[in-house]
Amino acid sequence: MSDLPPNTPAAGLRSQFLGDLADATQLARMFDHISGVSFFAKNRSFQLIYGNPQFYRRFGFTDEAEVLGKTDFDLFPRPLALNFRADDEKVLSTGEPLLGIVELFLNQQGIPDWFITQKLPLFDKGGKVIGLMGAIQRYDIQNNVAAADASIAKAANAFRREPGNRWLMEEVARSVGLSQRQFDRKFKDCFGVTPQNYLIKTRIQAACDALREAGAQIADVAFSLGFYDQSAFTAQFRRHMGITPLKYQRQFRG
């Protein structure tokens, strides 16, 4: 719902209606029936107080009660939980939404996929932030590349085509007719992340594909995808996927 100027008839009409609701979660229940959207809400202690079926089923649960009271650290690998907690803390401390957070992590089949998250603060009647809510859905990276500004789409396609190339962003910007500042700004407007972060995520996605190949060696995968060494690769992989390349390889093959 959009914000309305206070002390107007429209705002009063909405306020009266919401005040008459027997249970405020009735509005959120609409998300129980929207396919492809995981919806959740948390209190100031970062505990889940609501999760729609799409949300709790991704963890293998069959009932919402199984996730209530849990935090991200109960549900996700620690590196991912730390990332999510940092975003939550920002929303709670500023009272401002975080929109268009584009992330790469494993889907239920163990395959890396792109997701986009929206997080908004929740306020009590006195205007105090008492929690946050969020929605997660699959981010169709290919369609977004196709819809992007031509210069940005050209760069994004180059990153996806050759993730192992040791790209210099200043040269990439020049090749598409932009200054580095213009390139960074326009790229983030299109994809919600900087070109450097997009390239890393693209490399990690390519690494998952490579690691699933029979006989793949982690050091070879790291080198072929432009990482300085296996240690740097492992750190980035763990940050984005929540597990090490070796554990991913073993889990997937297992």
Side-chain angles (χ1 to χ4, degrees):
M1 292 182 288
S2 60
D3 293 331
L4 294 174
N7 303 319
T8 62
L13 183 67
R14 176 187 290 176
S15 179
Q16 179 181 346
F17 176 80
L18 294 176
D20 289 341
L21 284 175
D23 180 358
T25 64
Q26 291 179 78
L27 292 176
R29 290 296 171 190
M30 173 58 71
F31 286 95
D32 291 359
H33 309 286
I34 299 178
S35 177
V37 177
S38 294
F39 180 77
F40 62 88
K42 302 174 185 176
N43 61 20
R44 281 199 67 90
S45 298
F46 309 101
Q47 295 170 304
L48 285 159
I49 56 168
Y50 178 84
N52 73 343
Q54 186 85 9
F55 180 81
Y56 62 74
R57 286 173 185 161
R58 65 190 303 209
F59 305 108
F61 298 132
T62 57
D63 189 272
E64 182 188 15
E66 295 177 90
V67 297
L68 299 185
K70 295 186 184 297
T71 72
D72 288 333
F73 289 93
D74 300 314
L75 300 171
F76 294 97
R78 183 173 176 79
L80 294 184
L82 286 170
N83 290 340
F84 302 153
R85 175 64 61 87
D87 289 338
D88 291 352
E89 288 176 342
K90 190 176 295 185
V91 173
L92 292 179
S93 64
T94 65
E96 297 292 332
L98 277 180
L99 305 176
I101 307 168
V102 179
E103 294 291 353
L104 181 74
F105 47 88
L106 301 177
N107 63 21
Q108 290 178 321
Q109 291 73 43
I111 308 296
D113 208 346
W114 295 80
F115 294 85
I116 185 166
T117 302
Q118 322 289 349
K119 291 185 176 181
L120 295 93
L122 292 169
F123 301 91
D124 65 12
K125 293 181 179 179
K128 178 183 177 182
V129 180
I130 59 171
L132 63 99
M133 61 181 173
I136 308 166
Q137 60 192 124
R138 186 176 178 274
Y139 185 69
D140 195 329
I141 197 74
Q142 292 182 329
N143 282 347
N144 280 280
V145 169
D149 174 281
S151 60
I152 301 303
K154 179 180 178 181
N157 280 325
F159 293 155
R160 288 167 59 80
R161 192 167 53 246
E162 299 180 66
N165 194 322
R166 296 187 182 274
W167 300 98
L168 295 177
M169 294 303 160
E170 186 176 352
E171 293 180 1
V172 176
R174 193 182 305 118
S175 73
V176 297
L178 298 171
S179 70
Q180 175 128 27
R181 180 176 294 182
Q182 289 173 320
F183 179 59
D184 287 349
R185 177 179 54 78
K186 293 182 75 171
F187 200 101
K188 192 167 185 179
D189 286 344
C190 286
F191 297 106
V193 293
T194 65
Q196 293 88 344
N197 285 338
Y198 180 92
L199 177 58
I200 289 173
K201 292 174 191 291
T202 302
R203 285 175 172 173
I204 297 298
Q205 187 176 32
C208 288
D209 292 340
L211 290 169
R212 294 197 301 271
E213 296 291 330
Q217 299 297 311
I218 294 173
D220 294 340
V221 171
F223 181 77
S224 69
L225 288 170
F227 292 94
Y228 290 110
D229 53 36
Q230 185 172 332
S231 177
F233 169 56
T234 296
Q236 287 289 352
F237 193 96
R238 189 168 182 266
R239 179 186 172 196
H240 291 279
M241 297 291 98
I243 57 177
T244 65
L246 180 61
K247 188 172 182 180
Y248 174 77
Q249 200 171 45
R250 288 175 174 171
Q251 276 188 1
F252 192 85
R253 290 178 180 174

